[in-house]
Every structure is written in structure tokens, then in C-alpha cells.
Amino acid sequence: MEAAAKVQRQMVRLRGRSYVAFVFVPTVPILEWLQEIDATIARSPGFFVGRPVVVDLSSVDLSQSGISHLLTSLQDRNIRVLGIEGVDESRLTPAMPPLLSGGRSCVVEPSAPKKAEKAEAKPTSLLLETPVRSGQTVIFPEGDITILGSVGSGAEVVAGGSIHIYGALRGRAMAGVNGHKSARIYCQKIEAELLAIDGFYQTADDIDAALRGKPAQAWLQGNTMRITALN
């Protein structure tokens, strides 16, 4: 009776989930760096709204008040800072975002199998036969992504390799997130909000107006993104 009278406590169910976050690496002078952020926002309003951001302070030496001013400046631009890395915890206050560690640049390194084990083959490409609709995000860091339909405005496609879109690209396409500078982006109709390869990007206003609505490809030439007609 006593055992039956006890109330069973349910364990809290925890689930792991990964998110893609932008990593901001401020440089001095901070004012000029903020002006670059302003230029990006001016070209693509709302680009950072609702997107998680991590601030890496390893390249600057800011005091506690300097960090506070930087965070306030980003907040004024509707940029939500999820966490901070690359700084001693003593320079942060309880009101600031938490100190993070262990973040990786989405690099996938296959582990060597033991001699007695057979290596399990992993797919190196992802094929989607349906369109990627507005608000959806597709992430495949292991290799290429091929989409037989279109990518809607507000949708996002992130690939470790190249991205092939057989319809219109109206959202965001980010290729080479594993550091593959040779990755490319192909689409049959370019109306993209943003294109990025290995961290180098161009927004809609950067794309030649003569290319819009036409087949195009994007690739890196050094540290410059080139976008040309797809012949």
C-alpha cells in the first residue's frame, strides 16, 4: 500500500540538437568592423534576424566594458548573440551571454575503422526530389546536395560540398562549409538572397542584375566569389 501510494517521478527527457550559428570575429578598430556589419544589413535587411550568433573575441583584447559595448552595439542591430568564446571568463558578467568552448567549423573527419571491423559506407551526396520551401533548412555536411526542385525565399541549403539546384534558387545556399574551397553552386534560375562558399559570400544586391532569373554558377577564385552564367 505504501509503495502504491508513492508518486512516481518521471525523469526529465533531454534531447540533443545541433544548430548552425554564425561566428563573428571582431577586428580593430571595432567601429570600422561594425560599419562592415551595417553594410551587410543594408544590402540584405533582416539577414541576421533570428539567426544564432557566437562572438569570437580571440582576435581582440577588449576590457569588460568594451565587451559590453560591443554586445550592446550588436543588440541595437537586432543581432542575437548566443554565446562568447576566445576570452577569459573573468571579463564577462552574469548578464552577458555564456562562455562557450568546443565549437567546431562543421568539419567532418572520418575515423579509421579497426582491423576487425568493416567501414560503414556513408553517403557522400544528398538527393532531394521535392522543393525546399520557405522557412525550411537542409544541412548535409558530408558532401554535395542535389535538389530537383526549387529553393524558396527564406529557405536555406547548407552543404559540405557543392550544391546543384535544378530549379530556381530564391533562398540561401552555403556550399563548402567543411573548408572545401573548390565547392561550387549551380542553379537553373538565380534569384538568391545569399550565396556562400567556404565562408565567402555575396548577397542579392551583389549579384549582377543581368544574371538574375538565368542559369548561373558560383565558385571561389582566391578569396573572391565569382558568379557567372551557366553555359
Side-chain angles (χ1 to χ4, degrees):
M1 293 290 292
E2 184 178 348
K6 288 183 178 179
V7 178
Q8 281 191 329
R9 293 183 60 189
Q10 292 185 346
M11 298 295 292
V12 177
R13 190 177 185 184
L14 302 178
R15 293 181 177 179
R17 186 168 297 175
S18 298
Y19 293 90
V20 175
F22 289 113
V23 177
F24 283 10
V25 185
T27 57
V28 291
I30 295 295
L31 181 59
E32 292 184 5
W33 180 80
L34 287 171
Q35 289 174 348
E36 294 179 7
I37 298 295
D38 289 336
T40 299
I41 295 174
R43 290 194 300 268
S44 183
F47 177 61
F48 296 115
V49 175
R51 302 289 302 184
V53 169
V54 173
V55 178
D56 182 355
L57 298 177
S58 59
S59 297
V60 293
D61 184 15
L62 297 180
S63 63
Q64 190 176 88
S65 61
I67 296 173
S68 178
H69 183 267
L70 173 62
L71 295 174
T72 300
S73 298
L74 293 174
Q75 185 177 358
D76 291 342
R77 291 163 171 79
N78 292 322
I79 296 175
R80 181 181 301 173
V81 178
L82 174 72
I84 301 173
E85 62 181 14
V87 67
D88 191 271
E89 190 172 9
S90 62
R91 298 196 184 186
L92 305 182
T93 68
M96 293 180 181
L99 183 66
L100 303 180
S101 62
R104 295 183 299 172
S105 301
C106 299
V107 176
V108 178
E109 297 181 358
S111 57
K114 296 180 180 179
K115 292 182 179 179
E117 298 177 352
K118 292 184 178 179
E120 182 180 353
K122 292 185 177 181
T124 57
S125 63
L126 174 66
L127 173 64
L128 298 179
E129 298 182 2
T130 57
V132 181
R133 304 190 184 282
S134 178
Q136 291 183 318
T137 298
V138 176
I139 303 175
F140 187 73
E142 288 82 6
D144 295 358
I145 295 179
T146 299
I147 301 171
L148 300 185
S150 298
V151 176
S153 176
E156 187 173 77
V157 179
V158 182
S162 297
I163 297 175
H164 309 258
I165 301 171
Y166 284 81
L169 170 56
R170 300 186 179 93
R172 305 170 184 172
M174 303 179 186
V177 297
N178 279 354
H180 297 311
K181 291 182 177 294
S182 60
R184 295 198 177 205
I185 299 173
Y186 304 90
C187 63
Q188 287 298 315
K189 188 176 182 181
I190 186 167
E191 298 175 357
E193 297 170 355
L194 177 138
L195 299 177
I197 299 177
D198 189 30
F200 297 93
Y201 69 92
Q202 288 195 20
T203 61
D205 290 343
D206 299 322
I207 301 173
D208 188 349
L211 293 174
R212 297 194 68 83
K214 299 179 180 178
Q217 63 173 325
W219 78 96
L220 285 184
Q221 189 173 65
N223 291 335
T224 302
M225 179 181 291
R226 296 288 306 280
I227 304 174
T228 60
L230 183 60
N231 298 322

